[in-house]
């Protein structure tokens, strides 16, 4: 805002999460109906489903698992309401901007057997503080990107919509819109190549929508290693033409008690990018780091 220097902002955050049923949102890392640990406590908050590193073997003996999981079909959702207000120097309290973004997620999870799973998550965004004549909102309006800018109408989008299956229990395929986050860091994450938007580190959970892709995962239990190959259908530029598509590869393994990953991404005419990350225990602490390399000229 012109004429205002060194704005001082304070924010108040309100978050409510409700399940549409008594069931919790299923763990998306437990592929193909693998049961959750018996001592796992339920959580009503939305999960962070973007961490790529997964166990190299499904929980239990896959060959001995029943053809139909205990819960072949589940529905549920989350209600996420925030109130954000800012006080800026030189602005009257009565004129201080505020936003009240509301997010509602509803999901359907179908597992007809232990080798096929379909998941759909729809998301509605709406800001009660906006009207048809407003185009900007105060503090942290970036938490609801493009969702309600300049409109008083809710916006709907598919956050996730994917199908998982396997080929001879060797190659595990996930096709559709899905969440993937590479790298180990939260506040500084240079190897998060798949997502073109930067994560809001102060948000309760990752608000970025999923990306359209086909992911091939090949776990190797003997070496505690996972390999991933990905065909990318969208990215920083609109993916309406084939020259905007791309590809990615990642390998991750356990070495001397540390998780080590290396990845590579190339999209269209953009120069390729490379990354490595590591996470290791050090007493009661977790030590992690990552590094990326960009070739050519980029912004």
């Amino acid at each position: 805002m012109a004429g205002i220097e060194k704005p001082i902002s304070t924010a108040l955050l309100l978050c409510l999460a409700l399940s549409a049923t008594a069931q919790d949102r299923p763990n998306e890392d437990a592929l193909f109906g693998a049961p959750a640990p018996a001592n796992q406590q339920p959580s009503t908050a939305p999960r962070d489903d973007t961490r790529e590193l997964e166990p190299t073997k499904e929980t239990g003996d896959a060959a001995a698992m029943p053809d139909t999981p205990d819960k072949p079909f589940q529905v549920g959702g989350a209600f996420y309401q925030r109130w954000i207000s800012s006080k800026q120097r030189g602005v009257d309290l009565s004129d201080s901007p505020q936003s009240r973004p509301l997010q509602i997620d509803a999901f359907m999870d179908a597992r007809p057997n232990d080798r096929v799973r379909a998941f759909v998550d729809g998301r509605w965004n709406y800001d009660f503080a906006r009207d048809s004549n407003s185009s900007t909102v105060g503090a942290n309006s970036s938490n609801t990107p493009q969702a309600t800018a300049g409109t008083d109408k809710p916006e709907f989008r598919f956050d996730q919509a994917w199908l998982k299956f396997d080929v001879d229990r060797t190659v595990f395929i996930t096709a559709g819109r899905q969440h993937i986050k590479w790298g180990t860091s939260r506040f500084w994450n240079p190897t998060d190549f798949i997502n073109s938007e930067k994560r809001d580190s102060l948000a309760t959970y990752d608000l970025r929508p999923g990306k359209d892709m086909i992911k091939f995962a090949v776990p190797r239990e003997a070496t505690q290693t996972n390999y991933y190959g990905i065909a990318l259908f969208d990215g920083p530029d609109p993916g309406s033409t084939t020259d905007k598509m791309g590809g990615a590869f990642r390998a991750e393994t356990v070495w001397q008690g540390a998780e080590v990953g290396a990845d590579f991404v190339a999209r269209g005419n953009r120069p390729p990018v490379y990354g490595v990350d590591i996470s290791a225990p050090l007493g009661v602490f977790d030590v992690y780091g990552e590094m990326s390399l960009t070739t050519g000229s980029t912004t």
Side-chain angles (χ1 to χ4, degrees), residues 95-278:
D95 295 327
S96 297
Q98 64 171 311
S99 61
R100 297 187 298 274
L102 169 66
Q103 177 180 309
I104 297 177
D105 280 40
F107 71 85
M108 295 185 295
D109 185 11
R111 308 189 197 187
N113 56 61
D114 68 305
R115 301 183 64 181
V116 177
R117 181 180 181 186
F119 186 89
V120 177
D121 186 310
R123 175 172 295 178
W124 286 265
N125 291 296
Y126 181 70
D127 195 329
F128 291 100
R130 297 181 184 237
D131 56 42
S132 58
N133 298 318
S134 65
S135 58
T136 59
V137 174
N140 256 350
S141 60
S142 61
N143 286 347
T144 52
Q146 309 102 17
T148 55
T151 179
D152 59 349
K153 297 179 174 61
E155 181 183 277
F156 172 81
R157 71 173 69 184
F158 279 108
D159 179 47
Q160 298 184 70
W162 44 258
L163 176 68
K164 288 183 179 180
F165 56 96
D166 70 86
V167 177
D168 196 27
R169 300 187 186 272
T170 302
V171 180
F172 299 89
I173 302 173
T174 309
R177 175 160 292 194
Q178 53 194 289
H179 284 176
I180 289 183
K181 175 186 176 298
W182 286 353
T184 57
S185 304
R186 179 184 179 99
F187 296 97
W188 184 74
N189 191 194
T191 64
D192 188 18
F193 300 135
I194 303 298
N195 296 290
S196 53
E197 307 94 342
K198 297 297 183 182
R199 176 177 179 174
D200 182 355
S201 301
L202 301 181
T204 304
Y205 69 104
D206 197 344
L207 297 171
R208 297 174 297 181
K211 297 300 180 182
D212 297 324
M213 66 187 77
I214 300 178
K215 180 177 71 173
F216 302 86
V218 181
R220 289 288 179 262
E221 180 190 5
T223 58
Q224 293 185 293
T225 303
N226 294 333
Y227 299 99
Y228 301 93
I230 300 176
L232 300 170
F233 296 105
D234 59 7
D237 300 320
S240 57
T241 57
T242 55
D243 64 340
K244 305 297 185 183
M245 295 174 58
F249 175 81
R250 176 175 172 84
E252 55 193 22
T253 189
V254 177
W255 178 74
Q256 298 293 322
E259 299 176 357
V260 182
D263 35 65
F264 161 84
V265 176
R267 281 190 172 104
N269 297 324
R270 291 174 174 263
V273 290
Y274 307 84
V276 293
D277 57 77
I278 184 171

Side-chain angles (χ1 to χ4, degrees), residues 17-86:
L18 302 176
S19 176
T21 67
Q23 304 163 138
D24 298 306
R25 176 166 172 165
N27 186 336
E28 294 174 23
D29 293 333
L31 303 179
F32 315 114
N39 59 351
Q40 179 174 334
Q41 297 298 320
S43 174
T44 57
R47 304 184 351 94
D48 182 356
D49 298 319
T50 57
R51 185 63 188 272
E52 181 66 28
L53 191 63
E54 299 172 348
T56 56
K57 184 179 180 181
E58 307 302 333
T59 304
D61 185 355
M65 292 175 63
D67 292 337
T68 303
D70 293 337
K71 298 178 180 178
F73 182 75
Q74 298 184 65
V75 295
F79 179 96
Y80 186 45
Q81 176 72 68
R82 289 170 290 162
W83 176 23
I84 305 168
S85 180
S86 297

Side-chain angles (χ1 to χ4, degrees), residues 7-10 85-93 96-97:
I8 301 176
S9 299
T10 59
S85 180
S86 297
K87 177 62 178 75
Q88 295 179 325
R89 179 178 296 171
V91 178
D92 292 339
L93 181 62
S96 297

